Amino acid sequence: MARLFILLFLVQVVLAACALISCLSAEEDQIRTLPRIAWALIILFFPLVGSIAWFVAGRARRPGAADGIGKIWPGGSGTAQRRPLAPDDDPEFLRSVQERAKKQDEELFRRWEEDLRRREGDLRRRDGDPPREGDRPEV
């Protein structure tokens, strides 16, 4: 009988630890009903009841979880709020990176063309007459 009580006590402690970690690591918009400090105190002072209450009523359901509808409690609008994507998964971010790279490439190409024109002009002024089209090496 003592072993059973020890086992139940350990289960209660593990449940309380999991609930406390979940409560403290949840974002502000995921905590329902009470402020974070109130939930933490309830979990600490009433480990079994507080832990169960946290998992049932304290944290917001994830979109697409058990009910499959994707509502967020207390939501109001009934639509799921999307979490921000990682930069490499966000199509808008990837598009902006591609546009920025394209602009940088165009700017670099423009500067190379200007430099090439300037060098050709310097060569023409130094030599006196412009190089003929046939004298240029092919690229």
Side-chain angles (χ1 to χ4, degrees), residues 75-128:
S77 66
T79 59
Q81 298 172 354
R82 296 191 58 150
R83 293 181 61 107
L85 296 173
D88 57 344
D89 292 336
D90 187 5
E92 292 178 25
F93 176 76
L94 293 175
R95 190 172 22 261
S96 71
V97 168
Q98 289 173 345
E99 289 174 2
R100 190 177 326 132
K102 184 178 177 182
K103 287 179 184 177
Q104 288 174 348
D105 289 345
E106 289 172 354
E107 176 65 22
L108 182 62
F109 185 67
R110 187 188 58 77
R111 284 188 287 162
W112 283 348
E113 284 181 333
E114 288 176 1
D115 186 48
L116 181 62
R117 286 189 198 109
R118 184 185 51 81
R119 289 180 184 205
E120 285 178 347
D122 290 348
L123 282 174
R124 287 180 187 151
R125 281 191 292 270
R126 192 173 356 149
D127 293 341

Side-chain angles (χ1 to χ4, degrees), residues 1-12:
M1 193 66 159
R3 290 181 185 173
L4 180 63
F5 286 131
I6 292 173
L7 180 65
L8 291 176
F9 176 75
L10 290 177
V11 168
Q12 176 182 338

Side-chain angles (χ1 to χ4, degrees), residues 24-102:
L24 295 177
S25 64
E27 295 180 13
E28 285 296 324
D29 61 339
Q30 294 177 334
I31 300 174
R32 299 187 324 203
T33 314
L34 297 173
R36 181 189 316 262
I37 190 71
W39 278 115
L41 291 174
I42 289 171
I43 293 169
L44 287 174
F45 290 128
F46 309 103
L48 183 61
V49 175
S51 300
I52 294 171
W54 164 252
F55 286 120
V56 171
R59 64 182 183 158
R61 294 182 185 162
R62 292 200 166 97
D67 58 358
I69 298 172
K71 292 183 180 178
I72 294 182
W73 192 293
S77 66
T79 59
Q81 298 172 354
R82 296 191 58 150
R83 293 181 61 107
L85 296 173
D88 57 344
D89 292 336
D90 187 5
E92 292 178 25
F93 176 76
L94 293 175
R95 190 172 22 261
S96 71
V97 168
Q98 289 173 345
E99 289 174 2
R100 190 177 326 132
K102 184 178 177 182

